[in-house]
Amino acid sequence: MLKSRVGRAGAILIVLAIATTIAWTKAIHWRPSPETYPIQGLHVSAAQGEIDWNNVAAHDADFAYIRATDGAVRDPRFAANWRGAAAAGLRRGAIHLWSFCTPARAQANAFVTTFPRSADALPAVLDIAFSDECAVRPEPAEVIAALETFLRIAETHTGEPMLLKVSRAVAKAYQPANSFARPIWSARNFFEPDYGPRPWRVWQASDIRRVEGIKGPVTWDVVAP
C-alpha cells in the first residue's frame, strides 16, 4: 500500500513538473497577437550583453529601444547596440532610465551627450520606475520639478516630445502623466495595463521573453493599433 501511494505521488510530481515546463516554455515565447498589434519590438541594455541584431530582426521585431543612460551613467553598450540595430534594418529609439538619487540636470546632460540626435530615430523615452539601487522617495512636487527640468533639456536636444514609460508604482506615488502631456508607455506582463490616466501608446507586454540573437530574457513591447 505504501509503495503504491509513493508511486502515485511520484507520478503526480512528474506530471506537475512537465506541466510547469510546458507553461514556462509558452510564457517565455509568448507575445501579443500580431493581428491585433502588428507593430512589435523590444528594448535592451548592456544587461543583454552582445546582441546578434540580424538574428533579432529576422524574428518578429519591428523596432528596438536601446538604453542610453541610467541616471548620470552611460550604458556601455549603447553605441554598439545603436549601430547594430540600424545595420539590421530595425527602427531604433533611445531610453533614459530615471534615478531618484541623481540631480535632474546631471541626468539630462548625460543623456544628451550620449544619444546622437538623428532624424530617423524613434521618439526617445524617459523610463521612470523605482529600483532597489535607490531607496530615496522625494516629495511629489520635488519629483515633478525634477522631471520638468530633465524633459526641458532632453527635448531641446531631441527636438520632439519624449514618451513617458511609467511603472504602476510610480504612477500611484507621483502621477507624472498627469503633469506632462506626453505619450504613455505602460507595463504589465501578459495583460493590457489599465493604470494610466489616458490610453497607452506602447505596452511592455513581457519582461521574460526569449528572442533569437539575445542571451537571456528581454522585454517585449507592442504599439497601440
mmCIF file of all heavy atoms in Angstrom, residues 130-135 137:
data_model
loop_
_atom_site.group_PDB
_atom_site.id
_atom_site.type_symbol
_atom_site.label_atom_id
_atom_site.label_comp_id
_atom_site.label_asym_id
_atom_site.label_seq_id
_atom_site.Cartn_x
_atom_site.Cartn_y
_atom_site.Cartn_z
ATOM 1 N N PHE A 130 10.781 52.679 -9.784
ATOM 2 C CA PHE A 130 11.571 52.536 -8.567
ATOM 3 C C PHE A 130 12.577 51.403 -8.760
ATOM 4 O O PHE A 130 12.331 50.448 -9.514
ATOM 5 C CB PHE A 130 10.675 52.228 -7.377
ATOM 6 C CG PHE A 130 9.733 53.347 -7.023
ATOM 7 C CD1 PHE A 130 8.385 53.097 -6.792
ATOM 8 C CD2 PHE A 130 10.192 54.652 -6.918
ATOM 9 C CE1 PHE A 130 7.514 54.124 -6.466
ATOM 10 C CE2 PHE A 130 9.323 55.695 -6.593
ATOM 11 C CZ PHE A 130 7.985 55.421 -6.367
ATOM 12 N N SER A 131 13.712 51.515 -8.068
ATOM 13 C CA SER A 131 14.728 50.468 -8.155
ATOM 14 C C SER A 131 15.318 50.190 -6.781
ATOM 15 O O SER A 131 15.287 51.055 -5.892
ATOM 16 C CB SER A 131 15.847 50.873 -9.125
ATOM 17 O OG SER A 131 16.623 51.928 -8.580
ATOM 18 N N ASP A 132 15.872 48.993 -6.623
ATOM 19 C CA ASP A 132 16.497 48.627 -5.357
ATOM 20 C C ASP A 132 17.765 49.430 -5.099
ATOM 21 O O ASP A 132 18.191 49.580 -3.949
ATOM 22 C CB ASP A 132 16.836 47.131 -5.355
ATOM 23 C CG ASP A 132 15.597 46.254 -5.404
ATOM 24 O OD1 ASP A 132 14.518 46.732 -4.999
ATOM 25 O OD2 ASP A 132 15.701 45.094 -5.858
ATOM 26 N N GLU A 133 18.379 49.958 -6.166
ATOM 27 C CA GLU A 133 19.637 50.697 -6.021
ATOM 28 C C GLU A 133 19.433 52.081 -5.424
ATOM 29 O O GLU A 133 20.379 52.710 -4.962
ATOM 30 C CB GLU A 133 20.335 50.828 -7.379
ATOM 31 C CG GLU A 133 20.917 49.542 -7.922
ATOM 32 C CD GLU A 133 19.852 48.597 -8.460
ATOM 33 O OE1 GLU A 133 18.741 49.086 -8.814
ATOM 34 O OE2 GLU A 133 20.107 47.381 -8.506
ATOM 35 N N CYS A 134 18.199 52.570 -5.448
ATOM 36 C CA CYS A 134 17.917 53.918 -4.929
ATOM 37 C C CYS A 134 16.656 53.861 -4.079
ATOM 38 O O CYS A 134 15.554 53.684 -4.604
ATOM 39 C CB CYS A 134 17.744 54.906 -6.081
ATOM 40 S SG CYS A 134 17.241 56.556 -5.551
ATOM 41 N N ALA A 135 16.824 54.040 -2.786
ATOM 42 C CA ALA A 135 15.688 53.964 -1.863
ATOM 43 C C ALA A 135 15.044 55.327 -1.606
ATOM 44 O O ALA A 135 14.040 55.414 -0.901
ATOM 45 C CB ALA A 135 16.136 53.359 -0.531
ATOM 46 N N ARG A 137 12.760 58.471 -1.867
ATOM 47 C CA ARG A 137 11.418 58.745 -2.388
ATOM 48 C C ARG A 137 11.081 60.201 -2.078
ATOM 49 O O ARG A 137 10.468 60.515 -1.058
ATOM 50 C CB ARG A 137 10.385 57.792 -1.752
ATOM 51 C CG ARG A 137 10.638 56.328 -2.006
ATOM 52 C CD ARG A 137 10.442 55.970 -3.476
ATOM 53 N NE ARG A 137 10.686 54.554 -3.718
ATOM 54 C CZ ARG A 137 11.836 54.059 -4.131
ATOM 55 N NH1 ARG A 137 12.876 54.872 -4.334
ATOM 56 N NH2 ARG A 137 11.987 52.774 -4.336
#
